[in-house]
Amino acid sequence: REARLAVAEAAALADAGRFRRLAGNRLEAGFSRSAFWLRLELPAAAAPGQRVVVEIGSPVLDRGAAHLFRAGEWRRIGISGDGVAWSERALRHRKPAFAVALGSEPQRMLIRVGGESTLNGPVRVWNEAAFLAASGEDDLFYGIYFGFLAAMLAYNLFLWGAVRDRAYLWYVAYVAALALLQGKLAGYADRWLWPETPALANPVNLLAIAAVLAGGAQFTKAFLGGAAKGARRRIAAVQIAIALAAALLPVSYALA
């Protein structure tokens, strides 16, 4: 709970049977200031030079530090997470991941995870080739998705320039904020927008959520501007409530 255990202390607790099996091999710690330790048993190599990738499937996990027991001692092999600069990640990937060369004997591995964001996600051990193939498929899917959002943004920006209806401009703001939020949640914003400034990860996440709420509310208000007077009053009240809630998100983070 105090996030003060050293790796040797965590290993001693594991040897004493103090660890519990993860249901479905999935970490479900939610929002917590505690540190959590994951213990894995890696098999012996089936062939010389065989490598595996240990992945925690959460792009918003702040920090993970991996340790291997080698030559009679625990050694840290790398750190990763959206709170770590891209150039310092153990494996340059949008999710926390660690490439490990398997030895002639089984190996013990401990990963310490923690931070300010949610601590949820599946824990997987991949064959390295399968991991790279799956990552390529994900990149293709998200490339199509973000390309679609970019097309929507460009088209509505063109319409705003042609007709000067502010509803289109608010929709552009909404789509841009949505693209930023999805890019952050998927881990691509950390890679392409602020790779060496990981301190932006959590604040931008909340600001993007606030911008999506505010942009969506303003678009709805502008789009329904021709509604009856009573309806416009109700819309305005809801819009103000949403804007206030959006403004409180980054404020709550700053005060936390």
Side-chain angles (χ1 to χ4, degrees):
R1 293 180 184 276
E2 295 80 18
R4 294 186 302 191
L5 284 182
V7 61
E9 296 172 313
L13 291 176
D15 294 339
R18 296 284 299 279
F19 278 43
R20 62 177 177 83
R21 184 176 298 275
L22 287 180
N25 292 332
R26 185 178 181 87
L27 176 65
E28 295 284 1
F31 288 95
S32 175
R33 294 299 179 94
S34 299
F36 291 81
W37 289 84
L38 307 175
R39 177 180 181 269
L40 300 92
E41 293 286 341
L42 301 181
Q50 183 183 4
R51 284 161 49 103
V52 296
V53 174
V54 179
E55 176 205 44
I56 304 174
S58 173
V60 298
L61 181 73
D62 282 354
R63 187 179 179 90
H67 305 77
L68 273 181
F69 191 73
R70 286 177 174 169
E73 64 178 350
W74 285 98
R75 300 181 181 181
R76 193 174 81 170
I77 61 170
I79 56 176
S80 192
D82 73 356
V84 179
W86 186 261
S87 61
E88 297 176 5
R89 296 189 185 189
L91 190 63
R92 294 180 182 178
H93 192 266
R94 63 191 182 89
K95 298 178 184 177
F98 307 90
V100 182
L102 298 180
S104 57
E105 300 291 335
Q107 299 178 88
R108 287 182 289 166
M109 185 177 188
L110 286 172
I111 305 176
R112 181 189 187 277
V113 297
E116 298 176 345
S117 59
T118 178
L119 302 176
N120 296 332
V123 181
R124 300 188 181 100
V125 180
W126 293 79
N127 173 281
E128 186 177 31
F131 175 80
L132 294 175
S135 296
E137 292 174 359
D138 287 346
D139 290 343
L140 176 61
F141 170 80
Y142 280 108
I144 295 172
Y145 174 74
F146 288 117
F148 176 73
L149 289 183
M152 290 177 60
L153 192 153
Y155 176 67
N156 283 277
L157 189 60
F158 169 78
L159 289 178
W160 173 76
V163 302
R164 296 294 173 174
D165 184 337
R166 63 179 180 176
Y168 291 110
L169 189 59
W170 280 118
Y171 189 70
V172 166
Y174 167 74
V175 172
L178 180 64
L180 176 61
L181 177 60
Q182 293 293 343
K184 176 65 195 77
L185 294 177
Y188 290 101
D190 299 311
R191 167 66 182 94
W192 297 107
L193 300 183
W194 49 82
E196 300 305 312
T197 315
L200 291 176
N202 288 336
V204 168
N205 199 15
L206 289 176
L207 287 172
I209 294 173
V212 167
L213 292 173
Q218 286 295 121
F219 164 69
T220 303
K221 180 182 177 182
F223 184 74
L224 299 177
K229 185 176 182 180
R232 287 202 302 270
R233 289 176 179 172
R234 291 191 293 273
I235 293 169
V238 172
Q239 189 270 337
I240 291 171
I242 292 175
L244 288 174
L248 288 176
L249 280 174
V251 172
S252 65
Y253 175 80
L255 296 177

